[in-house]
Amino acid sequence: MSSIIPQIIANSLIAGSLYTLVGLGFFMIYRTVKFFDMSYGVLTTFGGYMMYWIFKLLGAHSILSFVLALALTGIISALMYQIVYRHLRKRESSNMVLLVASLGLFTMMQAIIAILFSSQFQTISIPVLQKSINIAGSFLTHTQLLTIGLSIIVFTLLSFVLSKTRFGASIRAIGDDEEVAKIVGINTKKVISWVFVIAGVIAGLAGLLVGLDTGIEPTMGMQLLLKAVIVVVIGGVGRIHGVIVGAFLLAFIENIAVWHISGEWKDVIAFSVLIIFLLVKPNGITGSN
């Protein structure tokens, strides 16, 4: 029994780090424009497939492939905002209309990815990242260590940007009241566009890390999107620190539970946690709307 505990802790740290990444990008969009962007999920898929395409099919260097995949995902995210969401928001469309539009984008892009790359499961193999090490009785691959490290870096950078920079102040102002933000001279179009770029890069990072760790498939985005939604809701949608709290709480609950029951129950457990929080503490752990 005691021998498996270090691995459960390690698995929880890995899952929590991944959930933190997908949650942070989703949080950035919701904090700024106040709607649940379903298309965010397919950006994770896009990032994974761009890494697969550039590195495995085009034969580019792994680091160059990594950077280009993130850049392309950020650009696609910004284009989605400019082509669809910006015009809908300009017409003062309801959040329901934006939600439906985002679901349409998700479905369309997922289908395009499946057409271009097939629906088959694909792997991205970088030998140095597949090596594993033993840490306190648990085994982690270099990819998993990279996931943990990058989640810490991204969270730290975003926390600093949101709390200490003018750009972060602009994001908070737009999230609080976009019309007032315009009146005080904030270029809301530019700020929101950059928010979508940043969120896209984070989504792409999460997707390609999943690809490097376990592999990719066109439908993977929905799974990551749902985890992002759960993490943001149970953590508290108004604060960035709620994301990391929600991510690791969900990860530990999932991994402790599947220790006793089948891993097929993982999603049931995740959504049970979400429903419990919605019933008992709808504002999330941080208590913020």
Side-chain angles (χ1 to χ4, degrees):
M1 175 177 170
S2 60
S3 62
I4 201 172
I5 291 177
Q7 193 62 54
I8 292 174
I9 294 172
N11 291 345
S12 300
L13 290 174
I14 296 162
S17 298
L18 180 63
Y19 296 168
T20 295
L21 282 176
V22 293
L24 285 172
F26 188 81
F27 165 84
M28 285 285 289
I29 293 175
Y30 182 81
R31 178 69 178 84
T32 309
V33 294
K34 290 293 189 290
F35 81 92
F36 273 25
D37 179 14
M38 301 292 284
S39 67
Y40 175 80
V42 82
L43 291 173
T44 62
T45 310
F46 185 84
Y49 273 92
M50 286 303 96
M51 181 70 185
Y52 170 78
W53 175 54
I54 298 168
F55 174 68
K56 195 166 184 179
L57 300 185
L58 298 184
H61 190 275
S62 58
I63 296 177
L64 177 62
S65 302
F66 191 96
V67 173
L68 288 178
L70 296 184
L72 288 171
T73 311
I75 291 170
I76 285 293
S77 179
L79 286 175
M80 288 163 61
Y81 171 74
Q82 292 294 333
I83 295 171
V84 180
Y85 301 139
R86 185 171 69 85
H87 294 290
L88 289 175
R89 297 182 75 244
K90 190 175 181 180
R91 297 174 189 172
E92 298 183 352
S93 299
S94 67
N95 282 349
M96 179 58 70
V97 171
L98 288 164
L99 180 66
V100 171
S102 69
L103 183 59
L105 279 173
F106 179 98
T107 306
M108 180 186 72
M109 287 192 63
Q110 180 175 279
I112 291 172
I113 289 171
I115 291 169
L116 293 176
F117 297 98
S118 85
S119 298
Q120 299 299 315
F121 184 83
Q122 307 287 353
T123 58
I124 308 170
S125 178
I126 300 178
V128 68
L129 294 179
Q130 292 180 324
K131 294 180 180 178
S132 63
I133 60 173
N134 188 320
I135 301 177
S138 63
F139 289 91
L140 296 90
T141 66
H142 289 175
T143 299
Q144 293 165 345
L145 290 172
L146 183 64
T147 301
I148 294 171
L150 287 175
S151 70
I152 294 171
I153 292 170
V154 171
F155 176 78
T156 303
L157 287 175
L158 278 185
S159 297
F160 175 79
V161 168
L162 289 175
S163 62
K164 303 295 183 181
T165 68
R166 186 173 180 179
F167 178 68
S170 298
I171 291 174
R172 296 198 306 274
I174 293 170
D176 293 338
D177 194 317
E178 189 172 345
E179 293 304 316
V180 172
K182 290 178 182 178
I183 292 171
V184 299
I186 296 173
N187 187 337
T188 57
K189 292 180 182 179
K190 184 176 180 180
V191 171
I192 294 173
S193 293
W194 274 108
V195 165
F196 272 82
V197 170
I198 294 169
V201 169
I202 295 172
L205 177 61
L208 69 83
L209 286 171
V210 170
L212 291 169
D213 188 24
T214 59
I216 54 175
E217 57 186 339
T219 58
M220 63 182 270
M222 180 57 74
Q223 182 82 0
L224 292 173
L225 170 68
L226 294 176
K227 292 300 170 69
V229 172
I230 294 171
V231 162
V232 170
V233 171
I234 69 176
V237 296
R239 295 183 181 180
I240 189 171
H241 292 83
V243 175
I244 196 168
V245 173
F248 283 96
L249 175 63
L250 176 62
F252 273 97
I253 290 173
E254 283 183 342
N255 281 279
I256 291 171
V258 299
W259 177 25
H260 296 285
I261 58 178
S262 171
E264 295 175 353
W265 287 82
K266 206 169 188 178
D267 288 339
V268 175
I269 294 164
F271 282 98
S272 297
V273 172
L274 174 64
I275 292 170
I276 291 170
F277 267 87
L278 289 174
L279 291 173
V280 178
K281 194 170 178 57
N283 291 341
I285 296 171
T286 61
S288 177
N289 290 314

